[in-house]
Amino acid sequence: MRAIIVPHYGPPEVVETRDVPSPVVGPKHVLVRVFATTVTSGDWRVRSGKFPRGFGWIATLAIGMRGPRNAILGTEVSGIVEAVGSQVTGFKVGDAVFGFTGASMGGHAELCRFLETDGLLMPKPTNLTFEEAASISFGGTTAIDVLRRAKLKAGDRILIVGAAGGVGSSLVQLAKHIGAHVTGVCSASNVDFVRSLGADRVLDYANEDFTKDDARYDVIVDTAGTAPYARSKVVLKDGGRLGLVLATLGDNLGALTVGLFTRHKVLAGPVMVRADHMRELAQLAMTGAVKPVIGGRFEFEKIVEAHRLVETGHKRGSVVVSLDARATDR
Ligand SMILES: NC(=O)c1ccc[n+]([C@@H]2O[C@H](COP(=O)([O-])OP(=O)(O)OC[C@H]3O[C@@H](n4cnc5c(N)ncnc54)[C@H](OP(=O)(O)O)[C@@H]3O)[C@@H](O)[C@H]2O)c1
């Protein structure tokens, strides 16, 4: 099969197209023929070897010293089931599916293997194209995890810093669906876009400092790494929660002590993607409560350009990569 390989950490141009052996299908495996995948901020980090301050040595120990041990990146896919193992009960050849591979990656290839028992492969919502279905899980499952841990509820006021990106655009939609009052922070060029996602208020970070504002929040989520606790605490209500999606190692460690000495809580650490997150996301997508946001489209052969766009740190929503003419079908 054709796959995009990252032989070592480096700029977008390090990616190479190669013919590699197809994954072997064991008894519990489902093999997916990939119609569409994405390049996420996670792929950018693993390709470049650039991790949040303090995490470099931990990440390279976990992922690989000179380059990613799993050299085929890509966490989000959609397509049709190509083959199933002898013990698979929930899928059959030809089913339309979407899935999240998580840390094992492997989505930037014509064929991608899932363990049925992980529960991270789902029937594709019938109202979404394959491209759209491929675009929702990285941001969507991150948003579900953070908002659940932050216990966001109807009537809460939430501030979302970095509201236009893959995670932020999912957070805005999900928080509105829950019934919260949403304030988004983004660049001037994305103010109208974030409002169109449902945000009640939008602040342009170049001209408006949320810490100088009168508003106070039950929940703040930082996806941009610019709202650590030291900065955000002044606008967190008594009992407020801060979710750090992007933060330094120091801010992650500091999070452990905040709850001991204040009435605030800081939620840090890597997002845990679970089967129930994927089930919830599939339902939210099916009902239209969370809509796909595609900020860039590329052919598989042009994936290097997708990496370049993601690396800017200013993409809107998700950047999709199509491998098959059926990627735009429902
Ligand atoms: N902890 C975890 O397990 C976990 C999970 C998922 C993602 N992440 C991390 O979370 C970060 C966000 O992920 P993503 O996929 O949403 O990235 P993304 O799609 O690249 O979005 C980043 C967003 O940040 C905004 N931004 C840049 N500078 C900003 C600033 N000074 N203030 C406010 N917003 C700013 C950009 O909007 P403008 O163009 O409007 O500036 C952009 O939309 C990444 O660094 C990723 O590695 C961590």
Side-chain angles (χ1 to χ4, degrees):
M1 66 171 183
R2 275 184 317 152
I4 307 294
I5 301 288
V6 173
H8 53 84
Y9 297 125
E13 296 70 30
V14 297
V15 304
E16 291 172 15
T17 308
R18 282 199 205 153
D19 275 318
V20 299
S22 299
V24 175
V25 181
K28 294 178 178 168
H29 285 133
V30 181
L31 189 66
V32 176
R33 177 153 298 274
V34 178
F35 287 2
T37 180
T38 60
V39 176
T40 67
S41 56
D43 295 315
W44 156 63
R45 290 200 180 282
V46 175
R47 190 215 72 234
S48 64
K50 290 179 187 160
F51 302 101
R53 188 148 43 88
F55 278 106
W57 62 277
I58 301 172
T60 47
L61 273 179
I63 295 167
M65 294 307 283
R66 292 196 173 73
R69 274 189 285 276
N70 295 333
I72 304 174
L73 309 189
T75 54
E76 301 178 293
V77 301
S78 70
I80 56 166
V81 173
E82 173 96 355
V84 293
S86 57
Q87 292 173 22
V88 169
T89 56
F91 296 94
K92 60 182 191 318
V93 170
D95 284 351
V97 291
F98 80 109
F100 187 71
T101 63
S104 55
M105 305 193 107
H108 293 169
E110 289 175 318
L111 295 165
C112 181
R113 189 178 64 176
F114 287 81
L115 259 182
E116 183 186 32
T117 44
D118 285 346
L120 300 179
L121 187 68
M122 296 278 138
K124 181 182 78 62
T126 49
N127 55 328
L128 301 189
T129 66
F130 286 94
E131 274 187 345
E132 289 170 336
S135 75
I136 57 176
S137 18
F138 181 84
T141 54
T142 303
I144 289 171
D145 179 75
V146 174
L147 295 187
R148 274 195 193 173
R149 286 197 287 149
K151 298 187 168 55
L152 184 79
K153 58 183 188 314
D156 278 355
R157 296 183 86 88
I158 181 171
L159 177 78
I160 297 164
V161 180
V167 179
S169 60
S170 300
L171 281 165
V172 172
Q173 296 188 70
L174 199 54
K176 279 313 292 176
H177 177 68
I178 290 169
H181 180 280
V182 176
T183 302
V185 179
C186 60
S187 62
S189 60
N190 281 325
V191 167
D192 289 342
F193 164 65
V194 171
R195 203 168 279 128
S196 76
L197 296 173
D200 300 283
R201 272 181 86 213
V202 187
L203 307 177
D204 156 18
Y205 57 74
N207 291 307
E208 293 161 287
D209 180 348
F210 69 85
T211 66
K212 304 271 160 50
D213 205 77
D214 290 337
R216 296 292 177 266
Y217 302 96
D218 301 282
V219 174
I220 298 176
V221 181
D222 183 13
T223 79
T226 59
Y229 181 67
R231 180 167 181 235
S232 299
K233 61 185 178 189
V234 290
V235 290
L236 260 187
K237 286 184 187 173
D238 194 28
R241 288 85 68 200
L242 168 66
L244 297 178
V245 177
L246 174 59
T248 65
L249 180 62
D251 286 330
N252 272 271
L253 293 174
L256 302 171
T257 58
V258 170
L260 300 176
F261 302 109
T262 74
R263 288 186 40 78
H264 294 152
K265 203 165 180 186
V266 181
L267 311 156
V271 165
M272 305 310 287
V273 176
R274 302 195 312 251
D276 57 317
H277 293 157
M278 283 297 282
R279 271 195 300 275
E280 184 176 344
L281 182 65
Q283 275 166 7
L284 288 164
M286 195 69 185
T287 60
V290 170
K291 293 194 172 62
V293 178
I294 296 180
R297 282 191 167 80
F298 297 89
E299 298 296 316
F300 198 46
E301 296 69 25
K302 300 275 174 64
I303 198 168
V304 64
E305 290 174 26
H307 275 274
R308 285 190 192 117
L309 172 58
V310 175
E311 181 148 336
T312 64
H314 294 284
K315 70 176 165 70
R316 276 185 185 176
S318 302
V319 170
V320 298
V321 175
S322 62
L323 289 83
D324 192 289
R326 290 166 286 182
T328 50
D329 291 353
R330 285 209 160 73

